[in-house]
Every structure is written in C-alpha cells, then in structure tokens.
Amino acid sequence: MFETIKYEVVNQVAWVIMNRPDKLNAFTEQMNKEITKALKQASSDESVRSIVITGEGRAFSSGQDLAEVDENMDHGHVLRTRYGPMMKQLSRCEKPVIAAINGVAAGAGFSLALACDFRIASEKASFVQAFIHVGLIPDSGNLYFLPKLVGTAKALELAILGEKIKVEQAKELGLVTKVVTVDSWNEEVAAFANKLANMPTQAIGLIKRSIQASWNMSYEEYLEQEAYGQRIAGLSEDHKEGVTSFIEKRKPAFKGK
C-alpha cells in the first residue's frame, strides 16, 4: 500500500514510520501524499486510539528532498498541494498524535514534529530551522506552532539564526515532552503511546479542539465552546465509566467512546 512509509496498527496504536533512511527520511511528493493518507486512515479507524509518527534509521526527517527542487519551482504551489494537505490532515485528527523524534528533525521535519500533540525525543535527537540557510521562510505551519510553544522572541531567534537545537535545550524550551535514552527508546515510546491509547479518546479530541478554538476566540466565545464540548464529553461512555470506577475504587477501563 505504501512505498515511502510504513504503516501498522499495534495495540490500538497506529505507527506511521517515514521510510527513506538512506535520504534521512527527506520528504518527496509521494511521501507527503502517503503520510496524508496514513493519517486519514488512522483517524477514521475506530480501533486506533493514538498515533505515533517517527522515522526509520538515524533521522526523524531532514525536511524536503532537495533533489526534487529546481530554480523554477513555485514553492507556494508545493505548499498548497503537498505540505498543506498533510498538515491539515494532522490538525484535523482528534486522536492524540506523538512525534517520536529518533534523530534530526530539520526543515519541514521540524514543522511536522511541532504540529504533533507530544514530542518524545531520543537523546540523539536535534532540531534545525534549516529554511534560512537556503533563503526561505519556515513553512508547513512551523511559525504557527513555534511561537505558541517557545514565545515570540525565541521563535524569531530560532527561525532567523537557524542554529541546531540540541535535545537538552529543546527540553528546556518546552519543545520536548520527554527525553528518552537510546537503550530504552522502543519500549518508552510504545509505553507512552499505549498509555494514551487507553485514555478517554473522545475527551482528548475535545481538549485538542478546545485549545485550537481558543486561539481565535474571545473569552466569552471560548466559554460557549467549552460548554459545548463538556456536554459531549458528559454523554460519553468513558465519562460514565470514569465516575463508576471512582465510586467502585478501581482503575477505569476506558473504551474511547
């Protein structure tokens, strides 16, 4: 089904693995389309309750494959037809999405990681705003998410200077949820994904929707959005299970419904 990525579902977790290790998982048009398709598939699959995006080999993604770039390219068209659909599909996903950053995340690879809900980073991971080095601006939603995570001044600094961000600095800046050693990488990423897969999935989706909505709403408008979301959550099976398990003093068994 896929040629540039791997896709599998294990224990309610969908794994989207960029699979061009010899090219440091650089994006091609085909990879953009395959990631978009995989995210759409995972979003609509009721058996999937969390999603992991990661890279095969020693990199997460080095960004755009420059072999597909020429001096006559309309970069705006590329964003509208390739990266835009991929990032929009990711933003529409109401299931928790984890970027498992196993190595360098540069350019659009950095942007993809920023757009995820959680970023689990290997001790060998690093981040690079590579765009400035080829005379471009950060794209694929990069500057939409980055200032919200690190603040305007730091986002401006990272975008213009384009210096490598080592994993320790990334953790200090709030870019990374957790740093994991190489020896425990597979186990810890799987454990984190499985933890999310066993949480109340519908409530997670409503939390994501509420945070996104808050960026463009007045406080009064947000309170109405909050009431709307809480009504839906309050009618869910997982809410009933949460209350029942609390009364019965046992661990809840959420079903994501």
Side-chain angles (χ1 to χ4, degrees), residues 22-245:
D22 57 321
K23 300 295 184 180
L24 299 181
N25 300 317
F27 292 110
T28 61
E29 182 175 5
Q30 183 177 1
M31 181 183 277
N32 291 139
K33 291 179 177 179
E34 290 188 355
I35 292 173
T36 304
K37 183 177 181 179
L39 290 171
K40 186 175 182 179
Q41 184 173 326
S43 295
S44 61
D45 186 344
E46 291 186 1
S47 70
V48 171
R49 292 174 61 190
S50 70
I51 301 167
V52 176
I53 302 175
T54 191
E56 187 69 41
R58 60 190 179 90
F60 179 74
S61 173
S62 58
Q64 171 63 38
D65 189 334
L66 296 182
E68 287 195 350
V69 175
D70 64 69
E71 60 183 14
N72 298 314
M73 176 178 284
D74 181 339
H75 292 282
H77 178 73
V78 171
L79 291 177
R80 293 187 182 100
T81 59
R82 289 172 45 181
Y83 287 94
M86 180 177 74
M87 303 309 292
K88 288 175 184 177
Q89 186 61 55
L90 178 56
S91 72
R92 285 193 290 264
C93 181
E94 297 202 347
K95 298 172 182 179
V97 184
I98 305 158
I101 305 152
N102 51 304
V104 66
F110 188 13
S111 304
L112 181 62
L114 289 174
C116 293
D117 304 312
F118 302 92
R119 282 158 295 281
I120 306 298
S122 163
E123 60 186 346
K124 290 190 175 182
S126 61
F127 304 84
V128 185
Q129 285 282 51
F131 302 94
I132 195 68
H133 301 304
V134 289
L136 295 175
I137 67 170
D139 61 31
S140 304
N142 188 295
L143 295 182
Y144 183 80
F145 292 104
L146 188 62
K148 295 175 176 66
L149 291 169
V150 303
T152 301
K154 180 56 70 171
L156 194 65
E157 175 188 325
L158 297 177
I160 292 176
L161 298 183
E163 297 173 347
K164 178 183 287 189
I165 308 166
K166 294 183 178 180
V167 72
E168 297 84 2
Q169 182 187 5
K171 185 72 170 69
E172 292 175 2
L173 289 173
L175 288 173
V176 171
T177 308
K178 186 177 183 180
V179 178
V180 177
T181 64
V182 173
D183 292 340
S184 60
W185 174 249
N186 293 330
E187 294 79 5
E188 294 228 28
V189 172
F192 192 86
N194 290 333
K195 177 180 179 179
L196 288 170
N198 285 285
M199 293 178 72
T201 313
Q202 191 173 25
I204 291 174
L206 290 166
I207 289 170
K208 291 176 62 170
R209 191 188 304 179
S210 294
I211 290 175
Q212 290 177 0
S214 73
W215 294 341
N216 298 300
M217 284 183 171
S218 68
Y219 183 55
E220 290 77 10
E221 289 170 330
Y222 175 76
L223 289 177
E224 181 56 36
Q225 169 74 22
E226 178 186 84
Y228 169 78
Q230 196 70 304
R231 178 182 182 276
I232 295 173
L235 294 171
S236 68
E237 292 182 24
D238 281 343
H239 171 61
K240 295 175 184 177
E241 167 61 14
V243 173
T244 301
S245 64

